[in-house]
């Protein structure tokens, strides 16, 4: 009986997340068992995308005339709040969010790419971040990698539910 409980508590499909560094940029990626269109639809809404991370405390989205959006973000990180303002714009295969101001960050640059792979969606997140504090880089990297892995898992969970905001209506 105990074994049956353990088996039923495991996720149906484990999400394989890859992590690497490229010239100081953190790269986290996963192949999600969903269509590219479904993933892009989820990520198209800035307020949804930014709330995928469990450490995001608040996001204010202001649409801009150039088709981009200004994001005022408050993160909960390492026992304090960190804030930045960025401009998030669409790219050929995703979005690019570039910091425009912050009292807490030297750099905060995020690129999302969604590409077809094996009839699924390969999601890649590239993050180049540097805090103005004396927190060691390895610690910031670990925090960012863990947060991004959680974001990819949250995306998969949302897209796997039948009541997902991007699911077709049930007749």
């Amino acid at each position: 009986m105990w074994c049956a409980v353990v088996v039923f508590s495991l996720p149906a499909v484990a999400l394989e997340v890859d992590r690497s560094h490229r010239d100081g940029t953190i790269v986290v990626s996963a192949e999600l068992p969903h269509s590219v269109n479904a993933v892009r639809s989820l990520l198209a809404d800035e307020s949804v995308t930014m709330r995928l991370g469990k450490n995001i405390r608040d996001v204010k989205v202001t649409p801009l005339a150039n088709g981009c959006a200004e994001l005022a973000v408050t993160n909960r990180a390492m026992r304090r709040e960190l804030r930045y303002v960025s401009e998030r714009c669409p790219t050929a295969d995703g979005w690019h969010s570039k910091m425009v101001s912050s009292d807490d960050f030297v750099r905060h640059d995020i690129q999302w790419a969604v590409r077809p792979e094996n009839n699924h969606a390969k999601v890649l997140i590239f993050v180049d971040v540097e805090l103005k504090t004396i927190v060691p880089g390895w610690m910031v990297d670990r925090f960012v990698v863990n947060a991004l892995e959680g974001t990819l898992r949250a995306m998969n969970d949302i897209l796997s539910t039948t009541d997902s905001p991007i699911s077709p209506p049930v007749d």
Side-chain angles (χ1 to χ4, degrees), residues 57-70:
R57 183 173 298 283
D58 188 46
V59 178
K60 181 181 176 194
V61 178
T62 305
L64 301 173
N66 64 359
C68 299
E70 180 182 271

Side-chain angles (χ1 to χ4, degrees), residues 46 63-69 88-90 95:
E46 294 87 359
L64 301 173
N66 64 359
C68 299
R88 182 180 188 257
C89 299
W95 292 267

Side-chain angles (χ1 to χ4, degrees), residues 25-95:
T25 299
I26 298 165
V27 182
V28 176
S29 64
E31 183 179 321
L32 301 182
H34 307 286
S35 72
V36 168
N37 288 338
V39 174
R40 286 187 178 153
S41 293
L42 176 70
L43 295 175
D45 185 337
E46 294 87 359
S47 60
V48 170
T49 302
M50 294 304 298
R51 294 191 191 284
L52 290 169
K54 68 177 183 167
N55 296 313
I56 303 293
R57 183 173 298 283
D58 188 46
V59 178
K60 181 181 176 194
V61 178
T62 305
L64 301 173
N66 64 359
C68 299
E70 180 182 271
L71 308 178
V73 182
T74 303
N75 287 320
R76 181 182 52 234
M78 297 178 267
R79 295 189 252 182
R80 61 176 276 211
E81 290 185 344
L82 303 172
R83 293 179 175 81
Y84 66 93
V85 175
S86 67
E87 183 174 85
R88 182 180 188 257
C89 299
T91 64
D93 63 354
W95 292 267

Side-chain angles (χ1 to χ4, degrees), residues 16-31 109-115 122-129 140-149 152:
E16 183 98 14
V17 177
D18 296 315
R19 306 159 244 13
S20 65
H21 283 79
R22 294 183 193 161
D23 299 322
T25 299
I26 298 165
V27 182
V28 176
S29 64
E31 183 179 321
D109 191 80
I110 303 173
Q111 294 183 44
W112 292 75
V114 182
R115 302 173 182 154
K122 174 87 173 205
V123 179
L124 298 104
I125 309 170
F126 304 86
V127 176
D128 182 11
V129 63
V140 173
D141 287 358
R142 181 180 292 170
F143 184 83
V144 169
V145 166
N146 288 338
L148 295 176
E149 286 181 10
L152 289 169

